[in-house]
Amino acid sequence: MPFPLTHTAPVLEGRLVRLEPLHHRHAADLAAAAEEDRTSYRFTWVPTAAEVGDYIDAQLTRAAQGTLLPYAQVATASGRAVGATAYWDPRLWPDRDALCAVEVGFTWLAASAQRTGLNTEAKLLLFANAFEAWNVARVDLKTDARNTISRNAIERTGARFEGVLRRWSRSWAPGEAGLLRDSAMYSITDSEWPTCRVSLEARLARTMNR
């Protein structure tokens, strides 16, 4: 189900990160970011420098189809794009043209931007916009069930583990082209969001006060 036409991607601004609608102007920065240490990308597809242009084209095609709202993650300290993320898989309420639920995914960060608070703040911005501006009932997140780094990061956002769907989606692990992976599924609901927000804000404050 496509995003309603009124749901264009807003710029989401924090202290550490600014989420800007993805554009080819981000290509050079993303190419540099993608070529840093890639060891953490084992279960996540991240374009190489040579693939960034095609990657942006593919994300913008999905955006034009209404299935994705892609963002560049721009570090406010440098003004450079250091990764990407997106809203996707929108679902509408059965009886009206308004979002009921959305997934946050397609997320990656340069190695130098990991464990700096950028991911925490980006999730805070994305979740807050979804729950407080779009009034969704839930936000979904999922990852390869084997990806303990990603699962731990998702759990630190306050998302609740819902189970593993076996052979659910495409595997991005090396040597597994054309195979399916088991996906670990997580969510935050609107009733859980206020507590989750407080927790994310506290985690972000601790990171910034180090």
Side-chain angles (χ1 to χ4, degrees):
M1 184 66 67
F3 283 95
L5 294 177
T6 56
H7 287 165
T8 55
V11 175
L12 303 175
E13 182 115 25
R15 290 172 290 176
L16 299 176
V17 65
R18 183 173 62 256
L19 301 181
E20 299 178 356
L22 185 66
H23 190 275
H24 278 285
R25 68 175 178 274
H26 300 116
D29 287 351
L30 292 178
E35 290 304 318
E36 294 185 14
D37 182 358
R38 296 177 61 89
T39 56
S40 67
Y41 302 150
R42 181 182 174 193
F43 296 106
T44 302
W45 186 79
V46 175
T48 64
E51 294 169 330
V52 163
D54 289 342
Y55 164 78
I56 293 175
D57 283 340
Q59 295 296 74
L60 295 180
T61 295
R62 294 184 181 103
Q65 294 168 343
T67 60
L68 186 82
L69 291 180
Y71 283 97
Q73 300 197 62
V74 177
T76 58
S78 66
R80 297 179 63 86
V82 294
T85 191
Y87 291 115
W88 78 296
D89 193 20
R91 280 96 71 205
L92 303 185
W93 289 98
D95 58 348
R96 60 186 187 274
D97 188 26
L99 280 176
C100 173
V102 69
E103 184 167 335
V104 170
F106 285 91
T107 300
W108 62 272
L109 279 172
S112 61
Q114 296 173 22
R115 295 175 295 278
T116 64
L118 264 75
N119 182 61
T120 299
E121 188 171 52
K123 291 299 192 292
L124 176 61
L125 293 169
L126 291 164
F127 295 166
N129 181 70
F131 285 114
E132 298 169 16
W134 292 346
N135 298 311
V136 301
R138 62 178 275 149
V139 169
D140 305 333
L141 304 99
K142 70 174 181 287
T143 190
D144 192 305
R146 300 165 295 180
N147 191 343
T148 56
I149 293 175
S150 179
R151 291 182 66 169
N152 288 338
I154 290 172
E155 288 168 6
R156 286 195 296 270
T157 70
R160 182 174 296 184
F161 176 57
E162 295 186 325
V164 172
L165 295 181
R166 297 176 298 164
R167 296 175 58 80
W168 177 251
S169 54
R170 177 179 180 177
S171 175
W172 298 106
E176 296 185 1
L179 300 181
L180 296 174
R181 74 180 195 193
D182 294 349
S183 290
M185 313 296 289
Y186 295 82
S187 71
I188 301 168
T189 65
D190 49 358
S191 63
E192 296 164 345
W193 168 238
T195 299
C196 179
R197 177 187 253 285
V198 170
S199 178
L200 280 170
E201 289 173 340
R203 178 175 293 278
L204 182 61
R206 290 194 297 272
T207 300
M208 298 185 69
N209 291 331
R210 288 176 185 169

